[in-house]
Amino acid sequence: MKTLLAGICLILASVAGAQKPYDDSIRQYVADYVKKHEVVVEQDKKYFRFFPPDEAYRVAAKVKKTPNSKWFTMETSGTVRKTFRQYAILEFSIHDTTVQLPVYQSQGLMTSEEYKNHLFLPFTDLTSGESTYAAGRYIDLSITDVKNDMVTVDFNKAYNPYCAYVTGKYNCPVPPKENQLEVTISAGEQNYAKPHD
């Protein structure tokens, strides 16, 4: 019996040890994100909130490219609309549910050498308006992240648009209805804890 318990403890310890580097990497990612944030500064940084790291929300997604997609105007929180086109549909499974989530290219960013490969993944989920920002969250990807028609989507790196902190100053893209997930994503940035106008 002692040998069995020792074996179980060893297995659990090895699993915990395997997860720790990932958890630490997410904690470092969050620390860097908070430190470099351009809108929330100084003492207000204490109002950031994040879910604990959870590797179950780091998923491998199939990339189904949509090369003939037309440019369209994406609604924003302000008066300025932004032009995007669908780059691909990402397909993955989360909570035993198969999800299809479009990912986009920004017409404006494609003219920049630094951001020409940038992919924009906006989404809402069943936490939106509850524990996370009601208008949705974003994830940044790159065309260079796509390997053999697969890409890793890490919802632990989901972040709020600037509009979550300041009202009326920014034109934050609103996730299209195709990006409204009927699953719970308890990962990434939560609601900002300081009320704003």
Side-chain angles (χ1 to χ4, degrees), residues 18-35:
Q19 290 177 338
K20 191 174 187 314
Y22 174 76
D23 290 358
D24 289 347
S25 73
I26 292 300
R27 290 189 185 96
Q28 186 60 55
Y29 175 88
V30 167
D32 291 343
Y33 169 83
V34 170
K35 181 179 179 180

Side-chain angles (χ1 to χ4, degrees), residues 89-118:
I89 295 175
L90 307 183
E91 183 176 289
F92 55 91
S93 180
I94 198 158
H95 301 314
D96 298 321
T97 301
T98 299
V99 172
Q100 292 192 330
L101 192 59
V103 63
Y104 304 95
Q105 287 181 299
S106 163
Q107 189 177 59
L109 291 183
M110 286 180 70
T111 61
S112 162
E113 186 62 30
E114 183 179 0
Y115 293 106
K116 65 182 181 182
N117 290 318
H118 181 264

Side-chain angles (χ1 to χ4, degrees), residues 18-127:
Q19 290 177 338
K20 191 174 187 314
Y22 174 76
D23 290 358
D24 289 347
S25 73
I26 292 300
R27 290 189 185 96
Q28 186 60 55
Y29 175 88
V30 167
D32 291 343
Y33 169 83
V34 170
K35 181 179 179 180
K36 296 174 183 175
H37 207 280
E38 297 176 351
V39 173
V40 179
V41 297
E42 299 176 353
Q43 294 301 312
D44 285 347
K45 290 183 184 288
K46 66 186 177 185
Y47 296 106
F48 278 112
R49 298 289 182 269
F50 298 85
F51 288 102
D54 186 344
E55 199 163 3
Y57 289 103
R58 183 176 183 263
V59 299
K62 293 179 184 175
V63 179
K64 298 181 176 179
K65 293 179 184 175
T66 52
N68 297 319
S69 295
K70 297 188 183 331
W71 294 103
F72 73 99
T73 301
M74 193 177 289
E75 295 295 316
T76 71
S77 58
T79 56
V80 177
R81 303 296 181 253
K82 298 187 178 182
T83 304
F84 290 85
R85 71 178 176 193
Q86 186 184 101
Y87 175 78
I89 295 175
L90 307 183
E91 183 176 289
F92 55 91
S93 180
I94 198 158
H95 301 314
D96 298 321
T97 301
T98 299
V99 172
Q100 292 192 330
L101 192 59
V103 63
Y104 304 95
Q105 287 181 299
S106 163
Q107 189 177 59
L109 291 183
M110 286 180 70
T111 61
S112 162
E113 186 62 30
E114 183 179 0
Y115 293 106
K116 65 182 181 182
N117 290 318
H118 181 264
L119 295 176
F120 177 58
L121 185 61
F123 71 96
T124 61
D125 67 283
L126 296 183
T127 69

